[in-house]
Amino acid sequence: MSVNKQDQKQSILSRIGNAFGDKLATFLNKPRDSYTTFSTLSIEQLNESLLPGDLLLIEGDSRISTAIKYLTQSTWSHVCIYIGDKPNMLPLLEADLVDGVCTVPLEKYAGFNMRICRPFGLTKNDNEALLAFVTSRIGMQYDTKNIIDLMRYLLPTPPVPLHFRRRLLEFGSGDPTKAICSTLIAQAFQSIRYPILPLKIQEDKLTETAELPARGFSRLKPKIFTNSRLEKKHYSHFIPRDFDLSPYFEIVKPTLKKGFNYKDIQWVDQNQDDTRQSHAK
């Protein structure tokens, strides 16, 4: 077979694969009927609380969200980054299954369960570099390499051992023109050397001595310190849950910022309690 015929064959297979992938992505992106809310935030609360560089973890309601939540054993199936007010851009940036890397309004996730994660102590320069990294990826396709694998785990009892679930979401196609939501954001933070869930590598042991009192006289007791460094995990190993688990991201709760008082809550059965208290008196 000539080179031209091989190229034509690959081109035809590529077009068929892309067409199938587009239809599959549209199917998986459709919302399910049942969705329970527990921590919804209003658009006003988000506007007042979010800062550029903040992450918004989302519990999605789509078919693929259900698979991701099962495989990662987590509430969170999607992550966006808040880029703020930028010319010709909407405030949230994400890697969407259908639209690829794009910006969307906050209203897209109105009524969804979500959590705000904030990187702690970012310098102005690093924050600008972080936002520049993600905005430069706008227009990239979503990496759909693992969608076929995910489909089989949409069943009520997916036949997947626990220790294999996470690896199903690791290692995308490796194509630099494609992205996954958590992978893109992990790459962005690693580009400025901000930790997410790094590995601790122990190195040389350093020994010092300390003078301690013992029965009226002093003695020297050795103290051993372990010198360790942090090593980055590959960016394709990250899932939305990792930003919630990371000790380097602050959890921001808008409902508590303005002075929460649990005594102000009006409960459904409050009238019954008030009646009982009045009778008791």
Side-chain angles (χ1 to χ4, degrees):
M1 185 181 293
S2 66
V3 175
N4 288 337
K5 288 184 178 180
Q6 286 181 342
D7 291 341
Q8 289 178 357
K9 184 178 180 180
Q10 289 177 354
S11 178
I12 292 172
L13 291 175
S14 178
R15 287 199 297 270
I16 294 173
N18 289 338
F20 177 72
D22 290 343
K23 289 185 178 181
L24 182 57
T26 301
F27 169 78
L28 292 176
N29 220 31
K30 288 183 179 179
R32 288 186 174 275
D33 296 331
S34 59
Y35 186 77
T36 304
T37 59
F38 63 87
S39 64
T40 57
L41 300 173
S42 68
I43 299 302
E44 291 74 19
Q45 286 176 312
L46 291 174
N47 279 321
E48 292 173 357
S49 304
L50 287 172
L51 298 175
D54 284 354
L55 303 183
L56 206 59
L57 302 182
I58 308 292
E59 183 191 28
D61 63 349
S62 65
R63 292 182 173 97
I64 195 169
S65 295
T66 301
I68 292 172
K69 286 186 286 186
Y70 177 84
L71 291 170
T72 62
Q73 294 293 284
S74 170
T75 299
W76 314 117
S77 60
H78 188 55
V79 56
C80 314
I81 184 168
Y82 182 73
I83 62 174
D85 186 14
K86 290 187 174 294
N88 304 317
M89 296 183 191
L90 296 168
L92 276 184
L93 185 144
E94 66 178 2
D96 181 75
L97 184 61
V98 174
D99 298 324
V101 181
C102 58
T103 60
V104 297
L106 289 173
E107 286 78 7
K108 177 177 180 178
Y109 293 109
F112 281 77
N113 300 319
M114 62 182 68
R115 173 163 291 168
I116 300 172
C117 294
R118 176 170 296 163
F120 186 81
L122 273 191
T123 65
K124 182 180 178 181
N125 288 341
D126 280 347
N127 201 315
E128 290 175 352
L130 177 75
L131 300 181
F133 185 99
V134 293
T135 53
S136 70
R137 269 62 179 176
I138 292 175
M140 282 186 173
Q141 293 177 303
Y142 191 93
D143 192 341
T144 57
K145 177 180 180 290
N146 290 325
I147 287 183
I148 301 295
D149 290 329
L150 285 172
M151 276 193 65
R152 74 186 74 168
Y153 306 111
L154 294 174
L155 301 172
T157 54
V160 188
L162 182 64
H163 57 283
F164 286 134
R165 290 175 189 156
R166 184 180 179 113
R167 293 198 60 82
L168 291 171
L169 299 181
E170 297 173 359
F171 303 112
S173 65
D175 188 336
T177 65
K178 296 184 178 181
I180 300 174
C181 63
S182 52
T183 292
L184 171 64
I185 292 175
Q187 277 184 290
F189 278 100
Q190 287 187 349
S191 72
I192 60 171
R193 291 190 175 277
Y194 191 89
I196 304 170
L197 287 175
L199 303 173
K200 182 175 286 189
I201 306 300
Q202 291 189 346
E203 296 181 338
D204 299 333
K205 289 186 176 181
L206 306 176
T207 304
E208 294 183 3
T209 56
E211 189 171 311
L212 299 175
R215 297 184 180 180
F217 59 91
S218 297
R219 61 186 176 87
L220 295 179
K221 181 178 180 181
K223 296 193 300 182
I224 298 177
F225 300 90
T226 301
N227 184 24
S228 60
R229 293 185 181 182
L230 300 182
E231 181 182 39
K232 294 184 294 184
K233 292 197 298 183
H234 194 272
Y235 54 79
S236 67
H237 291 196
F238 288 97
I239 55 177
R241 179 186 67 178
D242 292 336
F243 299 99
D244 188 14
L245 295 179
S246 173
Y248 308 106
F249 284 80
E250 178 184 5
I251 304 302
V252 179
K253 298 189 176 182
T255 52
L256 306 181
K257 289 187 67 176
K258 286 192 171 181
F260 170 71
N261 185 351
Y262 73 96
K263 291 293 187 180
D264 294 334
I265 296 177
Q266 297 296 313
W267 298 98
V268 173
D269 59 351
Q270 189 163 344
N271 291 335
Q272 298 176 3
D273 291 341
D274 293 342
T275 301
R276 291 194 192 97
Q277 290 177 5
S278 63
H279 287 325
K281 292 179 181 178

